[in-house]
Amino acid sequence: MFDSASIRVDIVVPYKKRYLSLVGNIAEAVVQALDNYGGDRDTLAFHLNLVLTEAMVNAIEHSNPLARDHAAKVSISIEGDNLCVGVYDQGPGFDLDLVPTPDLEEPSERGRGIFLMRTLMDAVSYRKTEAGNVLEMHKRLE
Amino acid sequence: MNIATETREGRSILALREERLDSSNSGELRSIILGLLTADGQRLIMDLSAVRFIDSSGLGTLLNSSKDAHQRSGSIVLAGLQPRVQSMLELTRLNVLFDIFPTLEDALAKG
């Protein structure tokens, strides 16, 4: 059983791709700071960096252009053995269930972002909230 | 984007001097590669040894750049992949589309 104090980190950055590395590096630092995590810390840090990067790009590309002058919010929280990350956008939203699984045998340039999130995390959801749409990802830490 | 290019033994070498290949710089990389593929039959080696992070956009750029090279009867081989970059290529099965060498020297010798 993973036992850790709760951690919550909220990051607010402009809707710009130049901040992807900043958010990714913060996510990696959060993983490296975990107490009593017995898994492969470097791999978890890389995966969290990756799924947050994918979700940020998704938020930037799906946001209402008028909202891009506002800040994007990213939330990373760990409670017990549950890792939860959320990326908010102010766009019209989309139906996650309609995002197709990419054909890995006939690869095309785009369409791997959601696939990577679904593969590397235990659960991915997308819903509307009062704070905007949120793409939320959960992973159980072992 | 920090990139070094040179020609050695008849091969064009593009060394990406960035820690990340992601959506913020992959478009620029694609343009640079297209600029290098000026003649048919060119064989380009991409030295990715400095890259520790790649996202879906970076993977897509590698794929499309390879297609660009093949359309011009050329090829792109990859060298010096860090383990996590290699793992992303394997996860998306793009590894089967490339000749991948442990080091730049290996790519020059065998690629």
Side-chain angles (χ1 to χ4, degrees):
Chain A
M1 177 69 185
F2 173 67
D3 183 22
S4 170
S6 294
I7 297 174
R8 180 177 173 124
V9 178
D10 288 334
I11 308 164
V12 180
V13 292
Y15 275 111
K16 306 283 185 190
K17 290 181 179 177
R18 63 186 293 259
Y19 293 100
L20 294 176
S21 63
L22 173 65
V23 173
N25 288 341
I26 291 171
E28 291 209 14
V30 168
V31 172
Q32 297 297 348
L34 286 176
D35 284 335
N36 301 325
Y37 176 60
D40 183 338
R41 197 175 288 262
D42 290 341
T43 296
L44 178 63
F46 178 83
H47 288 173
L48 186 56
N49 186 342
L50 180 62
V51 298
L52 269 175
T53 296
E54 300 293 349
M56 281 276 293
V57 171
N58 188 74
I60 292 166
E61 294 184 346
H62 285 94
S63 274
N64 182 329
L66 296 175
R68 289 180 191 159
D69 291 335
H70 296 92
K73 181 184 166 192
V74 176
S75 172
I76 305 169
S77 68
I78 296 159
E79 287 187 39
D81 60 1
N82 183 43
L83 166 68
C84 177
V85 295
V87 177
Y88 293 79
D89 75 77
Q90 306 298 326
F94 65 98
D95 188 341
L96 187 64
D97 292 334
L98 296 181
V99 177
T101 301
D103 183 351
L104 300 181
E105 305 302 327
E106 295 288 339
S108 61
E109 181 182 11
R110 297 177 66 84
R112 292 182 189 78
I114 298 290
F115 165 76
L116 290 173
M117 293 182 225
R118 285 172 165 155
T119 302
L120 300 177
M121 304 295 279
D122 294 335
V124 182
S125 64
Y126 186 81
R127 59 191 170 86
K128 289 185 183 296
T129 73
E130 289 184 358
N133 306 307
V134 59
L135 195 156
E136 215 165 59
M137 295 174 276
H138 292 266
K139 188 177 182 69
R140 183 163 180 258
L141 303 177
E142 297 179 2
Chain B
M1 172 167 262
N2 192 354
I3 281 180
T5 58
E6 64 174 313
T7 301
R8 225 197 290 178
E9 300 170 25
R11 314 285 297 275
S12 295
I13 301 167
L14 184 154
L16 186 52
R17 307 291 193 211
E18 299 277 351
E19 277 201 0
R20 290 175 65 99
L21 176 54
D22 64 22
S23 184
S24 71
N25 58 11
S26 58
E28 186 180 357
L29 176 63
R30 176 105 190 267
S31 298
I32 291 169
I33 292 172
L34 277 172
L36 291 172
L37 297 173
T38 52
D40 285 348
Q42 282 193 295
R43 299 156 69 206
L44 178 65
I45 300 172
M46 287 190 67
D47 179 1
L48 297 178
S49 56
V51 179
R52 62 173 288 273
F53 179 93
I54 188 166
D55 73 352
S56 63
S57 177
L59 292 165
T61 291
L62 294 183
L63 170 67
N64 273 11
S65 298
S66 177
K67 288 179 177 176
D68 292 336
H70 280 291
Q71 282 175 356
R72 293 163 174 77
S73 304
S75 65
I76 293 179
V77 303
L78 307 179
L81 301 190
Q82 294 195 24
R84 295 187 204 293
V85 173
Q86 171 91 27
S87 73
M88 286 301 107
L89 280 155
E90 291 171 357
L91 184 63
T92 53
R93 295 191 209 163
L94 295 181
N95 59 314
V96 302
L97 302 178
F98 289 93
D99 286 330
I100 299 173
F101 297 91
T103 67
L104 174 59
E105 301 308 322
D106 286 321
L108 281 166
K110 303 170 191 168

